[in-house]
Amino acid sequence: MIRFNENYAKLKASYLFADIAKRVTAFTQANPQANVIRLGIGDVTEPLPPACIEALHAGADEMGRRETFKGYGPEQGYAFLREAIALHDFQARGCPIEPDEIFISDGSKCDCGNIQEIFAHDIRLAIPDPVYPVYVDTNVMAGRTGANIDGRYEGITYLDSTAANGYVPAIPSTPADLIYLCFPNNPTGAVATRAQLAAWVAYAKRHKSIILFDAAYEAFIRNPEIPHSIYEIEGARDVAIEFRSFSKTAGFTGTRCAFIVIPKTLAAHDSLGRATPVHSLWMRRHTTKFNGVSYPVQKAAAAIYTDAGRQQTRALTDFYLGNAKLIREAMARLGLPCVGGDNSPYIWVNTGRDSWEFFDLLLHQAQVVCTPGAGFGKCGEGHVRISSFNSRENVVTALDRIAAALK
Ligand code: MLT
């Protein structure tokens, strides 16, 4: 008799964004005339930058000629892309990262979800609340937690992010082996200062732990004091893995390309305390389970680092930040406190009401989709996340409708 992985039974019936999609579909089926504006899932709406499109076409043409055709690429990603990333995203900011410490992948969701596989089963986890649900759910699937009791899984140290701490969690008083951090944060949009990140690096060194640093929204940082990479902090090479994505930076949510940085100096230990490079563990996993991102897509990603590509991607993130500013201003007019939106595409609104109720109110009264904060964890209750990923026209219309609905 085939049996299933019973850890799946501990999960909520469906993934947060699938749950929301179901509610929205039910609403649109019942109200076919409704023109629903989606400011829920952080999915980009603006087309790919011209530099990327040109490179994508050129890559496709190369695949159509015998002399330039390519079969399987290097599993770690083409050197031309890894070299551009190491130079522009890291070395230019003083981070000592080499091209062979970078692994190209088809998305940060997969990377953040898969990385836990290479660590032991009985490690201690520290995970922020609210949080991108992938970090928690993949550890539940792997059997690292107990049951979900009153909205929280046994076996996880939750790092509360609340208005009281500016939505940047404090360092826990107990040791953790694997720590998930995300800055600029999804869902709150909060950013961490150099001093705050340095404190996390010191904590990880003290406890021989590893920080998983999700920097998928790095391209939205405008405050020059805020670090773009954890490797801007001295010593982070020895304690941190960083995740980056082209999804929000350059509109690649449908094109798929991301990367993970694993410094060769980062080690994990066996049960006898002997150190092994995490880089070799991930290399073994990656080459066994992944065959690379397509060549034209990697060409398109590399085009982001050309002069034209850099200008065009900056214009894209500026555009969404312009939407975010409008959203923040509209929330202020409504008297709803919010954070995020200045160095991040997300605005975290303190509604002071049940978050699913507020979600339903906006859907039914304004035909606007947001994301209920409770879907990101217990501390998300009372909040909603509004995404700035949409056209200017839709954002302006959505804000007018929200204002009318809340009057
Ligand atoms: C979100 O809305 O949180 C993101 O789009 C999710 C993702 O990047 O997978």
Coordinates of all heavy atoms in Angstrom, one line a residue, residues 93 183-184 191-194 196-197 221-229 232 343:
R93 N 30.3 46.3 -5.1 CA 29.9 46.8 -3.7 C 30.9 46.4 -2.6 O 30.5 46.4 -1.5 CB 28.5 46.3 -3.4 CG 27.4 46.8 -4.3 CD 26.0 46.5 -3.7 NE 25.0 47.0 -4.7 CZ 24.6 48.3 -4.7 NH1 25.1 49.1 -3.8 NH2 23.7 48.7 -5.5
F183 N 15.4 40.7 3.3 CA 15.5 42.2 3.3 C 15.9 42.7 1.9 O 16.8 42.2 1.4 CB 16.4 42.8 4.3 CG 16.0 42.5 5.8 CD1 16.7 41.6 6.6 CD2 14.9 43.2 6.3 CE1 16.2 41.4 7.9 CE2 14.5 43.0 7.6 CZ 15.1 42.1 8.4
P184 N 15.2 43.7 1.4 CA 13.9 44.3 1.8 C 12.9 43.2 2.0 O 12.8 42.3 1.2 CB 13.5 45.2 0.7 CG 14.8 45.6 0.0 CD 15.6 44.3 0.1
V191 N 13.4 47.3 5.8 CA 14.8 47.1 5.4 C 15.6 47.0 6.7 O 15.2 47.5 7.8 CB 15.3 48.2 4.5 CG1 14.8 48.0 3.1 CG2 15.1 49.6 5.1
A192 N 16.7 46.3 6.6 CA 17.6 46.1 7.8 C 18.8 47.0 7.6 O 19.4 47.1 6.5 CB 18.1 44.7 7.9
T193 N 19.3 47.7 8.7 CA 20.5 48.5 8.6 C 21.7 47.6 8.6 O 21.6 46.4 9.0 CB 20.5 49.5 9.8 OG1 20.6 48.7 11.0 CG2 19.3 50.3 9.9
R194 N 22.8 48.3 8.3 CA 24.1 47.6 8.4 C 24.3 47.0 9.8 O 24.8 45.9 10.0 CB 25.2 48.6 8.1 CG 26.5 48.1 7.7 CD 27.4 49.3 7.1 NE 26.8 49.7 5.8 CZ 27.1 49.1 4.7 NH1 27.9 48.0 4.6 NH2 26.6 49.5 3.5
Q196 N 22.1 46.2 12.1 CA 21.2 45.1 12.4 C 21.7 43.8 11.7 O 21.8 42.7 12.3 CB 19.8 45.4 11.9 CG 19.1 46.4 12.8 CD 17.9 47.0 12.3 OE1 17.8 47.2 11.0 NE2 16.9 47.3 13.1
L197 N 22.2 43.9 10.5 CA 22.7 42.7 9.8 C 24.0 42.3 10.4 O 24.3 41.0 10.6 CB 23.0 43.0 8.3 CG 21.7 43.2 7.4 CD1 22.1 43.4 6.0 CD2 20.8 42.0 7.6
I221 N 16.1 49.0 -3.4 CA 16.7 49.8 -2.3 C 17.1 51.1 -2.9 O 17.8 51.2 -3.9 CB 17.9 49.1 -1.7 CG1 17.4 47.8 -0.9 CG2 18.6 50.0 -0.7 CD1 18.5 47.0 -0.4
R222 N 16.7 52.2 -2.3 CA 17.1 53.6 -2.7 C 17.9 54.3 -1.6 O 18.6 55.2 -2.0 CB 15.9 54.4 -3.1 CG 15.2 53.9 -4.4 CD 16.0 54.0 -5.6 NE 15.4 53.5 -6.8 CZ 15.5 52.3 -7.2 NH1 16.2 51.4 -6.6 NH2 14.9 51.9 -8.4
N223 N 17.7 53.9 -0.4 CA 18.5 54.5 0.7 C 19.9 54.1 0.6 O 20.2 52.9 0.8 CB 17.8 54.1 2.0 CG 18.6 54.7 3.2 OD1 19.7 55.1 3.1 ND2 17.9 54.7 4.4
P224 N 20.9 55.0 0.4 CA 22.3 54.5 0.2 C 22.9 53.9 1.4 O 24.0 53.3 1.3 CB 23.0 55.9 -0.2 CG 22.1 57.0 0.2 CD 20.7 56.4 0.3
E225 N 22.3 54.1 2.6 CA 22.9 53.5 3.8 C 22.5 52.0 4.0 O 23.1 51.3 4.9 CB 22.3 54.2 5.1 CG 22.6 55.7 5.1 CD 24.1 56.0 5.2 OE1 24.7 55.3 6.0 OE2 24.6 56.8 4.5
I226 N 21.5 51.6 3.2 CA 21.0 50.2 3.4 C 21.8 49.2 2.6 O 22.0 49.4 1.4 CB 19.5 50.1 3.0 CG1 18.7 51.0 3.9 CG2 19.0 48.7 3.1 CD1 18.7 50.7 5.4
P227 N 22.4 48.1 3.2 CA 23.2 47.2 2.4 C 22.3 46.4 1.4 O 21.1 46.1 1.7 CB 23.7 46.2 3.5 CG 23.5 46.8 4.8 CD 22.4 47.8 4.7
H228 N 22.8 46.2 0.2 CA 22.1 45.4 -0.8 C 22.4 43.9 -0.6 O 21.6 43.1 -1.1 CB 22.6 45.9 -2.2 CG 22.1 47.2 -2.6 ND1 21.2 47.4 -3.7 CD2 22.2 48.4 -2.0 CE1 21.0 48.7 -3.7 NE2 21.6 49.4 -2.8
S229 N 23.5 43.6 0.0 CA 23.9 42.2 0.1 C 24.3 42.0 1.5 O 25.0 42.9 2.1 CB 25.0 41.9 -0.9 OG 25.6 40.6 -0.5
E232 N 28.1 42.5 2.3 CA 28.6 43.9 2.6 C 29.1 43.9 4.1 O 29.7 44.8 4.5 CB 27.6 45.0 2.3 CG 27.4 45.2 0.8 CD 26.4 46.3 0.5 OE1 26.5 47.4 1.1 OE2 25.5 46.0 -0.2
N343 N 11.8 51.4 -0.1 CA 12.9 50.6 -0.6 C 12.4 49.3 -1.0 O 13.1 48.3 -0.9 CB 14.0 50.5 0.5 CG 14.6 51.9 0.8 OD1 15.4 52.4 0.0 ND2 14.2 52.4 2.0

